[in-house]
Amino acid sequence: MRKFLLACTLGLICLSIGFAAFQKPNWTIPEEEKQRKNPIAPSEAALKAAKVIYADQCANCHGDTGKGDGSDAMMYDPGPADLTDASQMKKLTDGEIYYQITEGRKPMPSFKKRLTEEQRWQLVLLVRSFASAPTKH
Ligand code: HEC
């Protein structure tokens, strides 16, 4: 009986390690952060500003069009998210995207100190535009 229990326990441990390795855990984002609204109204100027920052800070991982196929993407595990994936992106609130850019999650760096709040909210507008634009195949 003891041996059986031990085998069961070991089995469970292996299973949970397996799950942890294969499942991408969700980001834990505080509720009040999720609810935050973008203080910046969408405009050509805001998108243009965001594109410059994106090309400089994000495109090496997420790719020029947000597909997650940047030049450095191969080096990372998990790989950079596909920001054009509308079914995934529509699950996120603006506040969540802002939080993800602000805090980062390995291997994605935190942009809290690298970018101003305004720049990060501008990026939220740009990230939104990636998923709503018709994807070319
Ligand atoms: C070093 C490579 C790297 C850089 C630079 C980087 N990211 Fe990421 N990003 C990632 C990775 C890897 C993930 C997935 C992390 C995870 O799910 O654990 C990610 C996830 C995200 C997500 C979450 C998407 C989702 O489906 O939940 C957003 C939004 C995002 N990045 C936006 C940006 C923006 C905007 C910039 C530039 C300011 C940027 N990233 C710069 C690697 C990077």
Side-chain angles (χ1 to χ4, degrees), residues 1-26:
M1 189 61 195
R2 270 241 174 104
K3 272 199 181 136
F4 176 71
L5 277 178
L6 191 69
C8 283
T9 317
L10 281 177
L12 274 178
I13 291 171
C14 290
L15 261 182
S16 46
I17 292 173
F19 270 121
F22 285 110
Q23 253 189 354
K24 243 171 84 191
N26 285 325

Side-chain angles (χ1 to χ4, degrees), residues 93-108:
T93 65
D94 285 355
E96 281 176 295
I97 296 173
Y98 178 78
Y99 182 90
Q100 290 171 319
I101 297 171
T102 303
E103 300 297 332
R105 185 165 83 167
K106 269 188 182 170
M108 175 161 153

Side-chain angles (χ1 to χ4, degrees), residues 24 27 53-54 57-58 60-62 76 78-81 83 88-89 92 97 100-101 105-109 111 115 123 127:
K24 243 171 84 191
W27 296 61
I53 311 164
Y54 182 88
Q57 309 271 344
C58 323
N60 62 320
C61 287
H62 289 282
Y76 299 108
L83 305 175
Q88 159 64 15
M89 295 312 287
L92 302 171
I97 296 173
Q100 290 171 319
I101 297 171
R105 185 165 83 167
K106 269 188 182 170
M108 175 161 153
F111 288 94
L115 299 173
L123 282 168
V127 166

Side-chain angles (χ1 to χ4, degrees), residues 6 10-11 13 16 24-26 31 37 44 47 66-67 72-73 90 94 96 101 106 110 117 119 121 123 126 135:
L6 191 69
L10 281 177
I13 291 171
S16 46
K24 243 171 84 191
N26 285 325
E31 197 53 42
K37 296 270 177 304
E44 281 300 317
L47 276 179
K67 283 205 178 104
D72 296 346
K90 76 175 180 212
D94 285 355
E96 281 176 295
I101 297 171
K106 269 188 182 170
S110 157
E117 283 194 29
Q119 289 176 317
W121 281 118
L123 282 168
L126 181 69
T135 2

